Amino acid sequence: YNLNAFDIISYSEGFDLSALFEEK
Amino acid sequence: MGCCYSKKVIRTPGYKDPTILASETPFTVSEVEALYELFKKLSSAIINDGLIHKEEFQLALFRNSKRKNLFADRIFDLFDIKRNGVIEFGEFVRSLGVFHPNAPVEDKIKFAYRLYDLKQTGFIERAELKEMVLALLRESDIVLSDDVVEAIVDKTFSEADTKGDGKIDLDEFMDMVKNHPMLIKNMTLPYLKDITLAFPSFIFNAEVENIE
């Protein structure tokens, strides 16, 4: 499996802080 | 002769002088003031006390104050530098500074490393890596057999753990990120460069006259 575990983790929504800046 | 108008602005408990914060982070004074506008919005979403509580952080990230997420929890804990359960304005700016496009890559790697060091032992252990992969899979509804997960974790671990001592230390993690820069893609928020455009109202609340 040519996947890196850290790469997989980095796709978590919890890691995506750009959502902080979105209009609610 | 004094002016007839004096602006009285109420600041939140953790408010810090934007000039000081700008000197300690990649942000300009105007950007810190614009971040304050964002901070006010986030910190008043549920409890209007000028502090970001975990529920408010979750609400901002997921539009749901109850949604649990391992990585959001870890980021909140790292932003909460004083470890008092809330994020103050100074903590917010200093932590977001790491995500600025101009922040040193080394700071970004160190932050990601601390994030992944779930048990805060100073090392990333194999069990932690597997726990994080499983958490991501649960979150994304992707089903992989335990054998596949084990194989992915094994491969990553053997690549990273160059000293072969069963744990990934910061130096090893740094080497791996140097070989795979995309591993820290989420540590940069391009949006932070345009923060003053997103919150132009900072001009009306600014205490510092900007000459930048």
Side-chain angles (χ1 to χ4, degrees):
Chain A
Y1 298 97
N2 203 19
L3 290 167
N4 185 299
F6 288 109
D7 192 30
I8 294 173
I9 292 163
S10 72
Y11 283 96
S12 171
E13 269 188 82
F15 207 178
D16 181 12
L17 296 187
S18 60
L20 294 178
F21 307 97
E22 287 168 9
E23 273 303 319
K24 301 292 177 300
Chain B
M1 212 152 81
C3 176
C4 54
Y5 173 71
S6 153
K7 188 163 69 174
K8 181 76 183 164
V9 181
I10 298 165
R11 301 299 188 192
T12 58
Y15 186 75
K16 289 274 184 305
D17 183 341
T19 315
I20 294 171
L21 288 172
S23 72
E24 296 171 351
T25 64
F27 297 113
T28 64
V29 173
S30 295
E31 287 168 341
V32 173
E33 286 166 342
L35 282 174
Y36 189 60
E37 299 301 306
L38 170 64
F39 182 83
K40 281 192 291 188
K41 200 172 83 169
L42 299 177
S43 64
S44 61
I46 298 174
I47 307 165
N48 193 5
D49 60 356
L51 302 161
I52 299 178
H53 295 253
K54 187 170 275 185
E55 291 77 12
E56 289 169 325
F57 192 69
Q58 289 168 176
L59 183 65
L61 285 185
F62 309 124
R63 298 172 188 244
N64 177 346
S65 64
K66 303 268 186 279
R67 181 164 158 195
K68 288 281 168 202
N69 181 287
L70 175 68
F71 303 98
D73 270 3
R74 289 293 300 137
I75 289 180
F76 183 90
D77 290 346
L78 291 184
F79 272 48
D80 175 16
I81 298 165
K82 287 190 197 165
R83 306 303 311 269
N84 58 351
V86 288
I87 301 172
E88 297 176 1
F89 179 59
E91 294 172 328
F92 185 67
V93 175
R94 288 193 176 95
S95 301
L96 275 182
V98 178
F99 291 79
H100 193 283
N102 297 345
V105 173
E106 195 172 311
D107 291 355
K108 293 174 187 290
I109 298 173
K110 282 180 182 168
F111 191 98
Y113 184 79
R114 290 172 61 213
L115 185 80
Y116 295 149
D117 178 13
L118 298 180
K119 289 193 289 178
Q120 297 159 67
T121 54
F123 300 100
I124 300 172
E125 293 166 25
R126 193 187 178 287
E128 289 169 311
L129 192 56
K130 184 174 179 186
E131 184 180 342
M132 290 186 281
V133 171
L134 291 175
L136 185 279
L137 294 178
R138 276 195 300 273
E139 173 188 332
S140 52
D141 291 329
I142 297 171
V143 179
L144 293 180
S145 72
D146 193 55
D147 286 351
V148 173
V149 174
E150 285 284 330
I152 293 168
V153 172
D154 271 347
K155 185 173 176 294
T156 303
F157 213 82
S158 61
E159 182 190 346
D161 181 21
T162 51
K163 292 172 193 159
D165 58 0
K167 52 198 179 187
I168 302 170
D169 63 27
L170 180 59
D171 288 341
E172 290 169 331
F173 186 69
M174 282 195 168
D175 286 342
M176 198 178 57
V177 174
K178 278 172 194 155
N179 293 331
H180 306 282
M182 285 301 284
L183 296 187
I184 56 159
K185 58 183 177 294
N186 282 350
M187 290 305 303
T188 296
L189 291 167
Y191 197 92
L192 289 174
K193 278 201 145 179
D194 300 323
I195 195 76
T196 54
L197 301 177
F199 296 93
S201 59
F202 82 88
I203 292 167
F204 304 111
N205 300 322
E207 282 184 343
V208 181
E209 207 168 310
N210 288 292
I211 50 166
E212 291 149 18

